[in-house]
Amino acid sequence: MDNCEDIIPEWLSFIKGIVDSEDLPLNISREMLQQNKILKVIRKNLVKKCLELFAEIAENPEEYKTFYEQFSKNIKLGIHEDTSNRQKVADLLRYTSTKSGDEMTSLKEYVGRMPEAQSSIYYITGESKEAVVNSPFVEQCKKRGYEVLFMVDPIDEYAVQQLKEYDGK
């Protein structure tokens, strides 16, 4: 099994490794393997372990910045594809904002900085940070003291449509 989509989801396609399991029978046809419940358990555990490792990397901002620069598209694809782990994957997202400057901020940090009067997460999508930073929408939000996330990756729009809310916002 060189490329087994049943073992690891597409959004984690950058993960390479070997899965050794005593639970899988040696003589097995492809059809039987596709319907094997053990593969579903292996897949679930692999995704869980990957998310734990990503969260561990996220504890070190410099390491996570390097990781995120290389694999942010995969993580955003995970929001779109993995409904059961959507909240955990959302914790891994990072964006620049009106208050973060050139640094990336997580949704958790953003929600923590929100004024009490603000009930929603504000974001703007566009082709580049330069294109969205001077938007009239951003100016109005700044006047009210609201932070705006800059989503400049084409996949961001799809990810946000799937996420719908974060931490009740």
Side-chain angles (χ1 to χ4, degrees):
M1 270 202 205
D2 292 332
N3 297 320
C4 186
E5 293 80 23
D6 292 336
I7 288 187
I8 197 140
E10 186 180 339
W11 71 275
L12 289 174
S13 62
F14 63 94
I15 301 292
K16 304 290 180 220
I18 298 173
V19 176
D20 184 22
S21 175
E22 296 174 1
D23 298 329
L24 287 175
L26 290 176
N27 296 328
I28 192 164
S29 69
R30 185 178 189 102
E31 290 80 24
M32 284 179 64
L33 195 56
Q34 288 174 343
Q35 297 169 357
N36 197 320
K37 290 182 181 10
I38 296 168
L39 279 182
K40 290 183 174 109
V41 172
I42 290 172
R43 178 185 175 116
K44 181 180 173 187
N45 288 332
L46 284 174
V47 171
K48 180 181 171 188
K49 185 64 176 173
C50 287
L51 289 171
E52 288 172 5
L53 292 172
F54 299 160
E56 196 175 299
I57 293 170
E59 291 173 9
N60 181 335
E62 288 304 311
E63 278 183 28
Y64 193 72
K65 182 179 181 184
T66 304
F67 170 80
Y68 195 76
E69 285 171 358
Q70 294 180 15
F71 303 114
S72 64
K73 284 186 179 22
N74 294 79
I75 291 171
K76 293 169 185 176
L77 188 61
I79 293 284
H80 186 69
E81 289 181 357
D82 195 344
T83 55
S84 60
N85 293 304
R86 193 168 281 155
Q87 201 58 44
K88 291 178 184 173
V89 179
D91 290 337
L92 301 171
L93 293 174
R94 300 290 186 272
Y95 298 104
T96 54
S97 74
T98 52
K99 293 186 178 176
S100 70
D102 290 333
E103 292 297 312
M104 303 287 268
T105 187
S106 69
L107 292 174
K108 188 175 190 173
E109 294 167 336
Y110 174 91
V111 170
R113 288 192 299 261
M114 283 174 51
E116 285 188 32
Q118 184 179 344
S119 61
S120 301
I121 294 175
Y122 292 102
Y123 65 91
I124 186 167
T125 59
E127 292 180 16
S128 67
K129 184 178 175 182
E130 293 75 27
V132 297
V133 77
N134 293 322
S135 162
F137 167 75
V138 173
E139 295 302 321
Q140 286 297 319
C141 288
K142 278 184 184 178
K143 285 180 185 176
R144 294 182 182 158
Y146 297 162
E147 184 175 7
V148 180
L149 296 173
F150 300 133
M151 299 186 177
V152 294
D153 204 355
I155 197 169
D156 287 334
E157 290 184 57
Y158 297 112
V160 169
Q161 287 174 2
Q162 293 298 316
L163 192 56
K164 293 183 179 72
E165 74 171 19
Y166 180 84
D167 197 21
K169 308 287 183 192

